[in-house]
Structure formats: C-alpha cells, structure tokens
Amino acid sequence: MAKVLVVADIKQGVLKGSTAELLSKAGSIGAQTAVVAIGSGVNALLSDLINAGSDTQYIADDPNLAMFSAGPYAACVVDAARQSNADLIWFGFSESGKALAPRVAAQLDCACATEITDITLAGGQIEITRPAIANKVRQRIKVNSAQLVAVVRAGAFEAREDITGSENVVTLSPPAPDLKAVIKELLSDAGGDIDLADADIVVSVGRGAKDQAGVTLVKALADDLNAGFGASRALVDGGFMAHNKQVGQTGKIVAPTLYIAVGISGAIQHLAGMNGSKAILAINKDPEAPIFNVADYGIVGDLFEVVPVLREEIKKVRA
Amino acid sequence: MKILTTIKKVVDVELNINVENGAIVENGLQYVMNAWDENAVEAAVQLKEKNGAETTLVSIGGGEDNTKIIRKGYAMGIENGIQIDDPALANADSFVFARVLQKVYEKGDYDLIITGKQAQDTDNGQTGIILAEYLGLPCASNVIAIEVVDDRHVRVSRLGDAGTEILELALPAVVTVSDSINEPRLPVMRGIMMAKKKKIDVMDLAGLGTTIDAVGGGALKSEIIEFMVSEKRSAGQKFEGDAAEITAQVVALLAGEAKVL
Ligand SMILES: Cc1cc2nc3c(=O)[nH]c(=O)nc-3n(C[C@H](O)[C@H](O)[C@H](O)COP(=O)(O)OP(=O)(O)OC[C@H]3O[C@@H](n4cnc5c(N)ncnc54)[C@H](O)[C@@H]3O)c2cc1C
Ligand SMILES: Nc1ncnc2c1ncn2[C@@H]1O[C@H](COP(=O)(O)O)[C@@H](O)[C@H]1O
C-alpha cells in the first residue's frame, strides 16, 4: 500500500484548504495518509489535521520554527518522510513548498516534480502530469525512483466531504537552526486581506487602470463581491500593488469560481496563473486583447465606465 | 568576489508550440536566453558595478543558439563564459544539470552563484536549490534583492508566503532570482561588438573531468514519456457596444447561465 505524506500548508496559524485536498487525493488512490505540521504553536491544529483526513500526524512545534526557514523546515519534512516510510511526499502550492521540495528530494535522492496536476499509481509505477512552458504543454512523466516529492498545483485536487482521519501523533525533535542563512526580518504582508488562494471570486487589476485612482475603483468591485484582489505584474512593478497580489507564473496561481480581469491584456505569464478558473470575465477596451481568447465573458469597453455599472448591476442581481 | 551565473537556452514561449506523437515539433521553434536567467545576469552585472566582482556565466547546452545566449550574457556585461556541451546530456533533468554545475563550481572558486528561479521550458524551479544541497551551501530562492554586506555575507530579500523575508547568507551561497529583482538591460552596440570577439571556454563532460554516469545521466530519477498540448480555453461571448447595456447583459449571464455570482 502506498504511503503519502502531506506537508501541511499553514498560514498565519491557520491550516489551509489544500491540505485536505491533498489528503483526499491520497485517500482516493488508496494510500495511507500522514501529515507533517511545522511551525510554532502548531500543536493547536491537531484536530484540524485529523479532520483534514490524516491517519498519522508528525508535528514539529518549536518557537524557533515560528518563521519559515528552508533548511530546518526541510529537515523536518525529511525526518517525517523517513519515519513514515512515505513513497509520496506532497506539498500544496505555496512559496515554501516550492522552496522545500527540491531540497527534500535532493536529501532523499528521489525524483521531484513541481506543479503536478495529476498522479496515478498503476502496479507500483508512479506517473504524473504537469504543465510546462508556461502552460502551453503538459508533460506525462514516469517516476523511476521509489519515492517522489511533488508540489501540487492549486486547484488540482478536490477535498472530499466524507473524509475522516484518526489521531496518531508523532512528535518530531526540533531541527538545528540554519546558521548560514539567518532570517533578519520579516516584512509581513498586510493582514486582513482575503487570501487569493482561498477566494471564491478573484478580481484582478492591470495596467489599464493607470494609477492609484483606477486601482481604488477596481478594488471597490472586489470589496462588493467579498473577492480576493489581485493584479498583473505591470501594476506590481509600478508600485501600485503589493508583490503578494501578483497573479501569474511568478505570482499566485489561482483557480476561483469566477476570475474578473480588469484592464489586463492577457500575457501568457498572467494566463498561466489563472486559466484554471471556472469562469473568466474580462473587461478591456481593446477588442483584440488576448485575454478575450480565454474569457468566457468579455466586455469590450473602458473600465472607468464599465466598473461602476458592473457594481450597480451586481448589487441588483444579488439583492 | 567571484560570481557564477547560470544561463539556459529555452524555447521562445511567445511562439506557437506544436506537439506531434507525444513530442514537441522542433520545426519553427526559436531559442532565447531563459527570461529568469536574464534577471540573474543583470543581478550579477549590477553587483559587479556596485561592489566590484569577477563575473562568469555557465551554460549547459550546444548549438548556435547556445552560443548566441552566451554572447548576449557577455554583451550585458559578464566577463567570462563556460559552456558545457555534450550530446550525452540531451535528456538531462534538473538533478543532472545540478551535478554538472557542481563540477563547474568546484573548478572555480566562486563566492556567489546566481541562477534563475525557473527555466521557461521545464518550469521546474529546482536546479539552483538542488545545486545548493549538493554543495552544502546556504540558499535563498525567489529572491528580489541582493546586497553585499561584507566579503563574507550577502543580504537578500525573498518573497515568501508570509511576506518579504530578509536573510543574511554566509558566502559561498546560492540564490535563485525572481523576475521582480530587476529589469534586464538591453545590450548596447559596443557591448554586442565586444561580445562577438570574446572567447568561450567550451568543454564536454570529459573536459570537465566527469562522466554521464557520475552526474546521474545514466539513471534519471524521472523521465518525460509524453508531451501533450494543453487544452486551450475557448473564447466565450464577447460584447461590444453601449457600456451600460452590455454590462447589464453580462451580469445577467454570470448570475443566470454561469451561476457564479
Ligand atoms: C519571466 C516573466 C514572468 C512574468 N510573470 C508575470 C506574472 O506572474 N504575472 C503577470 O501578470 N505578468 C507577468 N509577466 C509580465 C507579462 O508578460 C506582462 O507584461 C504583464 O502581465 C502585463 O500586464 P498588464 O496586462 O496589466 O499590462 P498591459 O499588457 O500593458 O495591458 C494593459 C491592458 O489594459 C487595456 N486598457 C488600457 N486602458 C484601458 C481602459 N481604460 N479600460 C479597459 N482596458 C484598458 C489595454 O487594452 C491592455 O490590453 C512576466 C513576464 C516575464 C518575462
Ligand atoms: N542547462 C542549463 N544550463 C545552465 N543553467 C541551467 C540549465 N538548466 C537549468 N539551469 C539553471 O537553473 C534554473 C532553474 O532551472 P529549472 O530547474 O529547470 O527550472 C535556470 O533558470 C537556470 O539558471
């Protein structure tokens, strides 16, 4: 029986939905499930970890792990992988996952794959699918090593409702701090915002909004919809939006029910971050903008005119 | 300080990519320097300009296009170039490239290795991080700023999940850079002319003092068995005309037809 170890995705003390999604997938391929939770105060998440569908919980709870540090975090994952004899070690899509997976794979001397969208186990042969070349192609990959470390792309797997786990806690000993890569400071992202990865609706703003006034106009639409508020790289580079709001290949990968692109041209690096969305609405004044090639609904028009009307009309249908 | 920058030749992602019988159709493809490696080159050149450094680039690959990207690196301001060209590396993956780069590192005496955060053809985002593991060096990935503290340390900013993390790395170290770190310069004519005459230190695996088996190329940890074209989203309904009217129409569809409001 295959054994899956899922690395819990914990942000600001909260267990993210991807953990249950990955554990659900593990269950559906008939694997034994374990989870590893790393951080400070993560013992408090035990019931969440069990409810997410894990049968064993490896926990590294230490004040020294309060801030992400790739060396010690990777050491915890490797420790849990060895103790659990996991064949498959999965990370949910996150910056820490992307930083850790290659380290863990190098230490375990096994294959590593990022952004996987599917995995099959037939007769002990692990096979995966993942996009490459900015999502233009997909690769089917055969894994030759006994183990695989993988980062699962956002939205690839769904959490099952009927999932349950059982309590079986293994406490990991705290790893040594990385004295060669010392964290000096963390400039925290503004709190209180809706996490783009969790949002059911994401509204993103692009260069078409021009300046802060345009951004504020589009932000009001996001607020009305209780949506995550993202941006193209053009606005992040322009200093109008924070780095953590960038959607795309180097930003966040999102797969909401509805993605609204406002004043965004639709460069492939942007599309690579949002083309898994269920429905896409694009607003752009250029009828030839490439974003319209992927949008389910397109409004050709000036966003400064369209967005206020859009807000009014949405209020009407939601009333 | 000695800086080693890694650059890879990749397909131009802006062009069409066709797949036939599970393989990418070579005909019509064009090759360029990986975009994130342009950021790596720019970062190295900026450090040289600000703090003084000797800059070297290394590229594993062959053919005229590979020479072209090395010359581009020169034209942007890199001083020395190493090219590892060996047909045995045709199917190499990030682990194999990392082993080859390890050999290159061990032959020089570098303080800082700068790689792109990811190659546009693989979208793996692995090679630099694996290289750091193999070398036992500190590593920061997804870096958006590098500053020299003293001759033994650099201070880097990286984008993490909780915000921007500021780390001090003891040299030698490896950083992988995001495109947010800088705007790669366009080479000027004088640089391009000078780059044409510069020597490239080309060698195969034997010249590097290793073999394909020693770098893991004989026993790949994974293999691509097939490429497929990604299902494209198809264009939906596009509305033009009076802004108020078409917006109302679209909202009705989002609520009724798509049921997403
Ligand atoms: C290695 C690499 C990685 C990258 N990663 C990312 C990434 O993660 N995310 C990302 O977004 N980009 C990324 N990019 C950049 C990407 O290629 C584009 O440059 C960027 O997405 C463009 O942003 P934009 O669509 O807002 O701007 P533009 O391309 O300038 O488009 C602006 C659009 O607004 C429209 N417009 C203008 N005025 C109005 C108006 N009044 N009303 C309505 N519409 C209007 C225009 O018609 C135009 O289509 C990356 C690039 C590289 C090379
Ligand atoms: N063949 C290669 N030659 C030189 N550098 C490479 C090569 N392959 C990968 N790299 C470096 O490693 C980075 C990450 O590659 P990848 O792991 O394929 O995403 C790239 O941005 C390059 O800087």
Side-chain angles (χ1 to χ4, degrees):
Chain A
M1 192 190 219
K3 294 195 179 113
V4 174
L5 174 69
V6 170
V7 182
D9 189 5
I10 300 164
K11 291 201 183 96
Q12 279 149 345
V14 178
L15 184 68
K16 295 307 222 178
S18 72
T19 307
E21 290 166 10
L22 271 50
L23 287 164
S24 294
K25 179 69 181 182
S28 71
I29 59 171
Q32 263 177 26
T33 58
V35 68
V36 54
I38 308 162
S40 177
V42 292
N43 271 320
L45 297 174
L46 180 59
S47 60
D48 292 347
L49 294 168
I50 297 167
N51 291 336
S54 62
D55 294 329
T56 311
Q57 299 78 33
Y58 294 87
I59 298 190
D61 190 339
D62 190 87
N64 285 330
L65 294 168
M67 278 195 277
F68 176 76
S69 175
Y73 271 54
C76 293
V77 177
V78 168
D79 186 6
R82 294 217 165 104
Q83 289 197 45
S84 65
N85 263 319
D87 315 281
L88 300 162
I89 297 117
W90 291 349
F91 292 85
F93 196 82
S94 62
E95 281 310 328
S96 41
K98 289 191 274 180
L100 294 176
R103 285 186 185 245
V104 170
Q107 289 178 32
L108 295 174
D109 194 24
C110 69
C112 183
T114 48
E115 288 203 49
I116 70 163
T117 52
D118 202 7
I119 183 154
T120 58
L121 285 177
Q125 174 64 59
I126 309 171
E127 240 184 65
I128 51 170
T129 310
R130 64 184 294 277
I133 322 187
N135 245 339
K136 289 202 159 174
V137 299
R138 286 183 304 137
Q139 304 172 327
R140 202 153 67 83
I141 296 173
K142 174 168 88 85
V143 175
N144 297 330
S145 56
Q147 286 170 303
L148 167 72
V149 178
V151 182
V152 177
R153 190 172 164 87
F157 306 149
E158 266 174 38
R160 285 185 359 207
E161 296 291 336
D162 59 342
I163 191 163
T164 51
S166 53
E167 180 172 340
N168 179 17
V169 176
V170 180
T171 303
L172 300 178
S173 42
D178 190 342
L179 300 175
K180 288 172 156 187
V182 180
I183 305 183
K184 291 291 175 182
E185 207 179 332
L186 173 67
L187 308 175
S188 299
D189 294 334
D193 289 358
I194 296 166
D195 189 342
L196 286 172
D198 297 337
D200 212 29
I201 301 181
V202 172
V203 175
S204 285
V205 60
R207 200 192 319 259
K210 280 214 286 286
D211 53 19
Q212 206 61 52
V215 170
T216 307
L217 178 92
V218 182
K219 169 95 167 46
L221 170 65
D223 289 343
D224 288 354
L225 289 165
N226 204 15
F229 188 48
S232 70
R233 194 178 84 177
L235 283 191
V236 173
D237 284 353
F240 297 110
M241 293 283 286
H243 276 298
N244 66 327
K245 298 294 181 193
Q246 181 170 318
V247 172
Q249 215 181 4
T250 28
K252 298 270 186 316
I253 309 272
V254 298
T257 312
L258 175 62
Y259 187 84
I260 307 183
V262 186
I264 292 177
S265 61
I268 62 164
Q269 295 89 355
H270 188 81
L271 300 184
M274 45 64 85
N275 60 7
S277 304
K278 191 159 164 263
I280 297 173
L281 164 64
I283 301 161
N284 197 303
K285 70 176 182 188
D286 173 9
E288 303 303 323
I291 190 80
F292 288 127
N293 298 334
V294 300
D296 302 279
Y297 302 97
I299 300 178
V300 180
D302 185 336
L303 70 92
F304 292 93
E305 271 179 61
V306 172
V307 170
V309 186
L310 191 58
R311 293 182 60 198
E312 284 313 310
E313 292 297 330
I314 288 173
K315 275 190 196 130
K316 278 194 226 159
V317 299
R318 288 196 142 190
Chain B
M1 173 143 81
K2 280 181 75 178
I3 304 175
L4 180 67
T5 307
T6 60
I7 65 169
K8 187 182 190 194
K9 171 190 80 175
V10 297
V11 288
D12 184 343
V13 300
E14 302 294 340
L15 301 179
N16 248 340
I17 291 174
N18 296 312
V19 173
E20 250 171 47
N21 302 324
I24 292 176
V25 180
E26 278 292 320
N27 196 8
L29 295 182
Q30 281 183 29
Y31 291 90
V32 293
M33 190 191 302
N34 177 38
W36 284 287
D37 296 346
E38 291 193 9
N39 296 109
V41 167
E42 179 64 34
V45 174
Q46 284 186 15
L47 287 172
K48 178 182 85 172
E49 288 168 348
K50 189 153 175 239
N51 304 90
E54 185 187 335
T55 54
T56 302
L57 60 76
V58 53
S59 186
I60 309 167
E64 225 171 273
D65 293 316
N66 215 95
T67 310
K68 203 176 69 188
I69 68 159
I70 292 173
R71 299 228 177 270
K72 182 170 186 182
Y74 284 160
M76 289 173 75
I78 300 283
E79 296 148 284
N80 316 308
I82 302 168
Q83 180 180 5
I84 311 299
D85 185 2
D86 197 313
L89 291 166
N91 294 320
D93 62 9
S94 295
F95 290 97
V96 176
F97 286 138
R99 282 286 180 217
V100 175
L101 294 172
Q102 174 181 10
K103 281 282 168 199
V104 173
Y105 171 85
E106 285 165 357
K107 284 198 143 191
D109 154 41
Y110 303 98
D111 303 288
L112 182 63
I113 304 174
I114 309 179
T115 79
K117 72 171 219 156
Q118 131 185 5
Q120 287 173 294
D121 53 353
T122 65
D123 284 334
N124 277 344
Q126 300 180 16
T127 308
I129 301 171
I130 295 169
L131 172 63
E133 279 296 322
Y134 286 167
L135 292 171
L137 295 181
C139 174
S141 55
N142 204 21
V143 163
I144 57 164
I146 310 172
E147 215 184 296
V148 174
V149 177
D150 54 44
D151 39 327
R152 296 302 351 130
H153 299 90
V154 289
R155 185 177 282 251
V156 302
S157 306
R158 71 177 293 272
L159 289 179
D161 290 316
T164 304
E165 299 162 11
I166 299 172
L167 300 158
E168 201 161 287
L169 305 180
L171 299 176
V174 179
V175 299
T176 85
V177 296
S178 157
D179 46 296
S180 303
I181 192 170
N182 55 40
E183 186 67 50
R185 69 192 65 193
L186 294 171
V188 294
M189 194 44 87
R190 204 174 72 95
I192 296 170
M193 297 313 291
M194 277 177 24
K196 280 195 182 141
K197 294 188 217 114
K198 269 189 113 121
K199 170 175 165 294
I200 301 172
D201 197 0
V202 186
M203 61 192 93
D204 58 10
L205 289 173
L208 191 61
T210 189
T211 62
I212 189 69
D213 287 330
V215 295
L220 295 174
K221 296 179 181 21
S222 64
E223 283 165 84
I224 301 174
I225 41 183
E226 183 184 21
F227 283 95
M228 296 167 281
V229 180
S230 294
E231 308 95 72
K232 284 210 179 72
R233 288 186 82 104
S234 44
Q237 312 171 47
K238 190 163 73 178
F239 297 83
E240 291 183 64
D242 177 69
E245 237 168 73
I246 60 175
T247 304
Q249 252 175 306
V250 168
V251 171
L253 287 168
L254 288 171
E257 181 181 85
K259 300 196 173 48
V260 289
L261 277 182

